[in-house]
Amino acid sequence: MSRSNDAPRVSVIVCTYNRANSLKDTLDALAKQEVRDGCSMELVVVDNHSTDETRHVVMAAAQASRWPIRYLFEGRLGKSHALNHGVLEAQAPWLLFTDDDVIPEPSWAQALYDAGSAYHADCVGGRILPLWSKQPPAWLEGQQRLMESLALLDGGPEPVMDG
């Protein structure tokens, strides 16, 4: 797994607002992404006018990350403003999006890149499983529609084509 000096093939865009603590864990996980030779990454963090320690967390992560991290400030509140800013500034042809409270597996970026390439897809997604801090309520078990509305997605390990 080497870091290419060429332009990045993948830009990971993370929009954040006053979630420095969870953002730190997300950036730590993203720094551990493993991609094959020939694929490189950049991390683009868009601070959507945070008033906490977000900037400090991003700068500290940039010092320790194996991937370049760029900090962008978006003064207009709203995730759509932050996302659009990140997309405009991304330097790679492949854009990956994740939230500031997510812990992606080390193979996450490569798996999405591979799926998009293999299926010539315009958009790909994957499992989103919760890190429960305590046992979820029993009534939530088996409530697929409710789980999806909470952005907890688990379609299993096999590819699913939609559209």
Side-chain angles (χ1 to χ4, degrees):
M1 314 293 170
S2 69
R3 186 174 173 171
S4 171
N5 290 329
D6 299 332
R9 301 274 313 138
V10 173
S11 292
V12 178
I13 300 171
V14 181
C15 299
T16 188
Y17 174 71
N18 285 338
R19 295 185 75 175
N21 290 336
S22 62
L23 176 64
K24 180 186 180 314
D25 295 337
T26 298
L27 293 176
D28 287 347
L30 289 171
K32 296 173 185 161
Q33 289 298 296
E34 300 169 358
V35 297
R36 288 190 291 281
D37 287 340
C39 187
S40 62
M41 285 183 28
E42 70 167 345
L43 307 178
V44 179
V45 180
V46 185
D47 178 352
N48 196 203
H49 211 287
S50 297
T51 57
D52 64 0
E53 295 296 315
T54 294
R55 183 180 175 86
H56 175 74
V57 165
V58 175
M59 294 302 132
Q63 294 296 314
S65 178
R66 66 187 285 201
W67 306 112
I69 297 178
R70 291 194 297 133
Y71 172 87
L72 305 174
F73 183 83
E74 175 54 61
R76 296 171 295 168
L77 287 176
K79 189 168 183 180
S80 60
H81 293 299
L83 283 169
N84 287 333
H85 191 165
V87 168
L88 285 174
E89 295 289 331
Q91 296 177 355
W94 288 87
L95 304 179
L96 305 182
F97 301 93
T98 192
D99 288 331
D100 59 5
D101 63 347
V102 173
I103 310 297
E105 295 291 327
S107 60
W108 172 76
Q110 186 67 55
L112 289 176
Y113 180 83
D114 289 347
S117 297
Y119 296 101
H120 306 286
D122 293 325
C123 180
V124 297
R127 286 177 156 168
I128 302 172
L129 304 176
L131 293 172
W132 298 107
S133 58
K134 60 182 181 176
Q135 186 68 26
W139 58 262
L140 190 57
E141 182 73 28
Q143 299 294 321
Q144 187 63 28
R145 290 185 88 138
L146 179 57
M147 296 290 276
E148 289 173 0
S149 70
L150 295 173
L152 305 175
L153 306 174
D154 186 1
E158 298 302 317
V160 176
M161 304 301 261
D162 190 8

